[in-house]
Amino acid sequence: MSKHQLDYLDELEAEAIYILREVAGQFEKPALLFSGGKDSITLVRLAEKAFRPGKFPFPLVHIDTGHNFIETIEYRDKMINRIGEKLIIGHVQDSIDEGKVVEQKGKNASRNALQTVTLLDTIAKHGFDACIGGARRDEEKARAKERIFSVRDEFGQWDPKRQRPELWNIFNGKIHKGENVRVFPISNWTELDVWNYIRREKIELPSIYFAHEREVITRNGQLMAASPFLNMDAEDIIEKRNVRFRTVGDMTCTAAVESYAYRIDDIIDEISESKISERGARMDDKVSEAAMEDRKKGGYF
Amino acid sequence: MDILKFITAGSVDDGKSTLIGRLLYDSDSILADQLEALHTSNRKNDDGSIDLAILTDGLKAEREQGITIDVAYKYFQTDKRKFIIADTPGHIQYTRNMVTGASNANLAIILVDARKGVIEQTIRHSYLVSLLGIQQVVVCINKMDMVDYSEAIYETIVNDYKALAYKVGLKNVKYIPVSALKGDNIVHPSINMKWYDGISLLPFLESVELTVDDSTAHARFPVQWVVRPQTEELHDYRGYAGRVSSGSFKVNDKVTVLPSGFHSTIEKIEVLDAEPVEAFAGMSVTIHLKDEIDISRGDVLVNTGYLPEVSQLIEADLCWMDTRALDPSLTYFIQHNSKVTRCKIREILYKVNINTLEKEFNEDFKLNDIGRIIIKTAEPLAFDLYQNNKANGGAIIIDSRTNVTVGALMLRAVAED
């Protein structure tokens, strides 16, 4: 008898596809939360594997702060054009205009925290009962215990005490009206798994993930891309540095790291060979905060 | 490279946190920031060495605050294999969490304190591991440093455990004497136990063979989603999307659709841009049949030569997971693979005292209770006996009032009416 043991990437992929199909089968109005980052880009590839040649049984939803990297928006629009799926954009600017949130002031102002309100409004407006996100359990301790199907109450809150046991491969998606479920198909992937998968599948990424020369300023010990969205003053010195971004979100909260990783192989080497280079950035708590916050505010949490 | 999923069973006192910490530490799997936190921590062992339990401590603190009592997942990898640890609390009040973690594990590490030997708790953990059908068990006799690395004590415990393993029906059991605190036989062979010439824990975890249900006889494919593009060019396209739960399917295989009982032949297997000739256990694929049959989510394609049971009356082991006791007068939902239907608990046959393994015959079924019941389902389920095929023999019970998962079922037999 032949021995059929799936390679780890195949197994993770098959599990994620299985989860996506459970979402399609169990929910009336699901959505895929798309931030333009590598994790949600991976989700799009997995959705293609799960549903092609049919259409996705859900739209993509992007919560746009209005302060995005232009490369991300270009990537998003090009991708939507390629896959021919529906994109719903929730604008933080609309939430500001409607008076639902108030723009932060001062030097470190960011729209990052405002996103959650726009996200919840978008969910309510379209009546989404399941939101697929790219969060992973290896990200932090609290996430390590989150279920793959994670029930949110009508306020969008996660209550660890209300978590449902998840047995075998059986996912219980039953909810009451007004509740919704966050679904995390790549829960069991690590950061390195995502990169290895992107390499294997030859998935295109926004260019800012790769090393490039960019005008930055140093603020609170981190490198921020110089942009009109950043409140700058005379103290801020713009300099050119060779950088790349490890996570992609709002320009006001996503810090760059110095890097010469021009190709995906370089990035994987950077992550897998040297713990210091990959985690070193995380050790800098400023960058770490931004990186984690970025993921959470991407609508995953 | 493949993935090994394992759980660790043992209470905090048995050194479970230290064992996990030692595995991560000695296999060089700890990230730089965590390492730094370890070294600067004020918590040290009596001899001044690092307290590795800190690595899982953040989680404990959360539990103590009552934030969660759930399974936490940890990931690490070596050159040989990737590992997913389901870190399950060991106390009796967390039986449901151990069942949850164990339901997806290929292997269980059972910790025994060398000073205490096989105790009531060991019986409970071993029973649960056996109940859930975990194939591989490693018994780590821990804290050997505290019994002077005594071979005689190790041998006594191994013999005691062998009797227990026989009693609960565990077959593949490996015994390793360890000290998680000192690092003996965890990643590196111990210099303190020259009398032990067996393998250390991590090399064992790296090399242990995983059992996959490879037999084509057991081919099972629960349909999750019907792919129907309904475009002009793909007008007649109809693919059945799902994940092979056991065995394997090949093009031209004869299949039966259950519960309807229709037959057909596999025409094509698809995965996005590829058309593999075979889909085996674990693969998510889309299957096309030669005949037009009405198939929808919840149906299952099986090998025509080896059919599962199809019944509405099923005898099963039940682990109750909710603070509200089971109420036989209520109608619950049952979910088996992608099929959801209503059910009632027809009869409670007995409960098992999981500390003594004695049968009990009182009626109430409360949180963490385990026992044998007969369940009546509104629609027939196409299932295999859990002991023969885990993937098609497990189900959950959902409370239709709260929508919460309240029970885990291991389907054991077709029941007589």
Side-chain angles (χ1 to χ4, degrees), chain A residues 2-5 7-8 14 18 21-22 53 144 147 160-161 163-164 168 171-172 175-176 188 193 275, chain B residues 1 28 66-67 70 73 75 82 103-104 212 214 224 237 280 282 284-285 297 335 386 401 403 405:
Chain A
S2 62
K3 180 122 179 66
H4 285 139
Q5 191 68 52
D7 175 70
Y8 79 98
Y18 171 81
R21 288 169 172 167
E22 280 304 290
R147 300 303 195 203
K161 288 181 199 158
Q163 293 214 99
R164 297 168 177 176
W168 300 287
F171 298 105
N172 168 9
I175 48 170
H176 295 293
N188 285 326
D193 296 334
K275 279 175 191 154
Chain B
M1 190 186 290
D28 197 24
I67 294 174
D70 258 318
Y73 294 90
Y75 303 81
K82 287 180 73 78
S103 74
N104 283 312
V212 187
D214 232 7
Q224 292 183 273
Y237 184 102
F280 51 88
S284 281
V285 298
R297 176 180 164 80
Q335 188 170 349
Y386 189 80
R401 299 164 297 181
N403 289 330
T405 302

Side-chain angles (χ1 to χ4, degrees), chain A residues 1-8 11-12 14-15 17-18 21-22 24-26 48-54 57 137-138 141-142 144-145 147 160-161 163-172 174-176 187-188 190 192-193 275-276 279 282-283, chain B residues 1-3 5 28 30-33 36 58-59 62 66-68 70-73 75 82 100 103-104 210 212 214 224-225 227 229 234 237 241-243 272 278 280 282-286 297 321 333 335 386 394-396 398 401-403 405 409:
Chain A
M1 187 65 65
S2 62
K3 180 122 179 66
H4 285 139
Q5 191 68 52
L6 288 177
D7 175 70
Y8 79 98
E11 184 171 341
L12 292 171
E15 179 185 65
I17 293 169
Y18 171 81
R21 288 169 172 167
E22 280 304 290
Q26 292 197 34
E48 289 185 284
K49 295 220 176 190
F51 303 110
R52 289 292 183 246
R137 284 180 179 144
D138 77 328
K141 283 178 177 174
K145 5 181 90 177
R147 300 303 195 203
K161 288 181 199 158
Q163 293 214 99
R164 297 168 177 176
E166 241 160 38
L167 294 132
W168 300 287
N169 290 317
I170 306 173
F171 298 105
N172 168 9
K174 286 198 176 294
I175 48 170
H176 295 293
S187 282
N188 285 326
T190 63
L192 190 57
D193 296 334
K275 279 175 191 154
I276 300 304
R279 305 294 170 180
R282 285 196 181 179
M283 282 173 69
Chain B
M1 190 186 290
D2 58 14
I3 301 176
K5 298 175 184 167
D28 197 24
I30 300 176
L31 309 173
D33 54 342
E36 178 144 322
L59 304 163
E62 284 172 13
I67 294 174
T68 177
D70 258 318
V71 182
Y73 294 90
Y75 303 81
K82 287 180 73 78
T100 300
S103 74
N104 283 312
L210 303 180
V212 187
D214 232 7
Q224 292 183 273
W225 181 252
V227 180
L234 294 169
Y237 184 102
R243 192 176 188 192
L272 196 60
E278 185 180 12
F280 51 88
M283 283 174 72
S284 281
V285 298
T286 302
R297 176 180 164 80
M321 305 186 138
F333 289 115
Q335 188 170 349
Y386 189 80
I396 60 169
I398 300 165
R401 299 164 297 181
T402 60
N403 289 330
T405 302
L409 285 170

Side-chain angles (χ1 to χ4, degrees), chain B residues 69-174:
Chain B
I69 48 163
D70 258 318
V71 182
Y73 294 90
K74 291 189 181 62
Y75 303 81
F76 76 105
Q77 82 179 82
T78 65
D79 292 339
K80 304 218 172 64
R81 196 166 250 172
K82 287 180 73 78
F83 298 95
I84 301 179
I85 312 174
D87 185 11
T88 57
H91 291 113
I92 188 162
Q93 60 264 41
Y94 300 134
T95 296
R96 66 169 188 170
N97 295 312
M98 190 174 152
V99 169
T100 300
S103 74
N104 283 312
N106 316 107
L107 178 147
I109 297 175
I110 294 179
L111 276 150
V112 175
D113 186 327
R115 297 169 303 174
K116 297 177 191 160
V118 172
I119 54 173
E120 197 171 85
Q121 184 163 257
T122 321
I123 300 174
R124 187 166 72 237
H125 294 147
S126 304
Y127 173 72
L128 291 172
V129 163
S130 171
L131 184 78
L132 270 293
I134 295 180
Q135 303 288 337
Q136 297 282 354
V137 175
V138 190
V139 178
C140 283
I141 292 111
N142 191 25
K143 305 198 182 179
M144 288 300 292
D145 57 306
M146 299 182 84
V147 294
D148 294 328
Y149 297 106
S150 161
E151 183 179 10
I153 290 176
Y154 168 73
E155 290 297 342
T156 304
I157 294 171
V158 168
N159 281 329
D160 288 351
Y161 195 90
K162 279 181 176 165
L164 173 62
Y166 179 76
K167 201 171 165 190
V168 299
L170 290 174
K171 289 193 185 72
N172 299 314
V173 185
K174 179 87 192 167

Side-chain angles (χ1 to χ4, degrees), chain B residues 308-322:
Chain B
E309 309 286 349
V310 180
S311 177
Q312 283 176 261
L313 212 53
I314 303 163
E315 194 175 316
D317 284 319
L318 169 67
C319 173
W320 194 254
M321 305 186 138
D322 199 38

